[in-house]
Amino acid sequence: MEHANGQVAVITGGASGIGLALAQALAARGDTVVLSDVDADAATSAAARLGQRVSAAHLDVTDAAAVQALVDETVSRHGRLDLMFNNAGVAVSGEVRDLNLEHWRRVIDVNLLGVVYGTDAVYKLMVRQGHGHIINIASLAGLIPFPTNAPYGATKHAVVGLSYALRLEGEKLGVKVSVVCPGFIESNIYTASEAVNVSRDALAAGIPFRKVPADVAARRILAGVARNQALIVFPAYARVLWCLQRLNHRLTAWLSRRMLADFRGLRQNNRDSKD
């Protein structure tokens, strides 16, 4: 692939949602993109639609060796890696009382360890080459409480903390790190993720804010990356809630309690429910 005038990027979870929109935007500006996803067929189909600058790769981000192998192959083929988007993510909707440890492990393996594996695979490489930018896709749930999605919120808080720490370590070594904390985005995460003791369709219908189109999200992310923003938060309501949380966590508690009350109204077994 030609990339004389563009950058080389790897995107995890790239076959849909934000990942796919990022791949499209990067390819359109002349970058070389490795679009990876656990769904190999979807990745191949997406890459074919996006043109010759985009190649597909099957990748399970919970497999550290596979992540390292993809990074090594990319560098071997293209000579460098400029951008790493740790984007793959899953969620499990449900109250903690209804979850089991397998739910926790699945979310932690993908959302946190997947980011750790991606970061470990590229960070030392970027230090050696003297440049690079790691972009970790977290969530507004990494900045404010997200009851009924405790595993998801816990992993996204962890990704924010990881990103802040690594940004400081990397800044004198040529490596930039940004973390993205968007609100609700148009994505298949709402239909692909498990809902425990509640209707997934009912949950999706009850999202309290308008979802941001994936292409709009991609443009906002890339604008923040170009400015080397440490934290990229959007849309406006997400920035307001983040600000309120920093001013006084009680100011966002009302929204958290409302979300919890709405969820409990949908919960399919309310015999042991307590308000």
Side-chain angles (χ1 to χ4, degrees):
M1 284 185 188
E2 299 292 334
H3 52 76
N5 297 316
Q7 294 180 298
V8 178
V10 168
I11 303 173
T12 69
S16 63
I18 291 177
L20 179 58
L22 284 168
Q24 185 173 14
L26 291 169
R29 75 183 192 184
D31 290 355
T32 296
V33 181
V34 179
L35 184 157
S36 69
D37 200 279
V38 70
D39 186 336
D41 290 340
T44 299
S45 176
R49 294 196 306 272
L50 295 180
Q52 63 179 359
R53 290 188 176 275
V54 182
S55 61
H58 172 250
L59 180 66
D60 180 350
V61 297
T62 69
D63 184 341
V67 176
Q68 185 66 63
L70 177 62
V71 169
D72 291 345
E73 180 183 351
T74 300
V75 175
S76 176
R77 183 176 181 183
H78 300 291
R80 67 180 197 273
L81 178 55
D82 304 300
L83 302 170
M84 178 67 175
F85 292 88
N86 289 309
N87 170 69
V90 297
V92 176
S93 297
E95 289 194 53
V96 170
R97 59 178 163 169
D98 293 326
L99 304 181
N100 59 47
L101 289 180
E102 285 306 312
H103 294 126
W104 285 90
R105 289 190 186 100
R106 175 60 178 160
V107 176
I108 291 170
D109 282 351
V110 175
N111 292 5
L112 179 54
L113 290 180
V115 172
V116 171
Y117 297 153
T119 297
D120 182 70
V122 302
Y123 181 67
K124 299 180 186 72
L125 160 72
M126 289 179 172
V127 170
R128 290 195 300 271
Q129 68 184 15
H131 75 275
H133 202 145
I134 299 170
I135 303 95
N136 294 326
I137 309 299
S139 168
L140 178 61
L143 301 174
I144 68 172
F146 195 7
T148 75
N149 272 272
Y152 183 83
T155 58
K156 297 305 185 179
H157 272 78
V159 168
V160 171
L162 181 159
S163 302
Y164 276 151
L166 191 64
R167 182 180 175 89
L168 292 172
E169 290 191 23
E171 65 182 357
K172 298 295 185 181
L173 303 175
V175 183
K176 303 171 184 177
V177 181
S178 298
V179 61
V180 182
C181 292
F184 294 98
I185 306 296
E186 289 183 357
S187 167
N188 70 354
I189 193 170
Y190 309 106
T191 56
S193 298
E194 186 176 358
V196 180
N197 213 16
V198 68
S199 164
R200 189 164 51 191
D201 292 340
L203 280 180
I207 291 174
F209 297 101
R210 184 176 181 180
K211 289 184 283 189
V212 178
D215 62 330
V216 174
R219 289 197 296 271
R220 179 64 185 85
I221 291 167
L222 293 179
V225 170
R227 292 193 293 268
N228 188 27
Q229 287 181 234
L231 180 64
I232 302 169
V233 185
F234 64 92
Y237 76 78
R239 293 193 295 272
V240 169
L241 290 173
W242 174 50
C243 181
L244 292 176
Q245 177 71 13
R246 286 182 295 156
L247 289 173
N248 187 333
H249 66 88
R250 294 182 180 86
L251 296 175
T252 54
W254 65 269
L255 178 60
S256 296
R257 292 192 178 100
R258 176 183 169 184
M259 289 176 61
L260 180 56
D262 290 345
F263 182 93
R264 285 179 171 167
L266 300 172
R267 189 166 174 265
Q268 292 169 353
N269 179 5
N270 287 302
R271 288 178 298 176
D272 59 347
S273 179
K274 296 180 180 179
D275 292 331

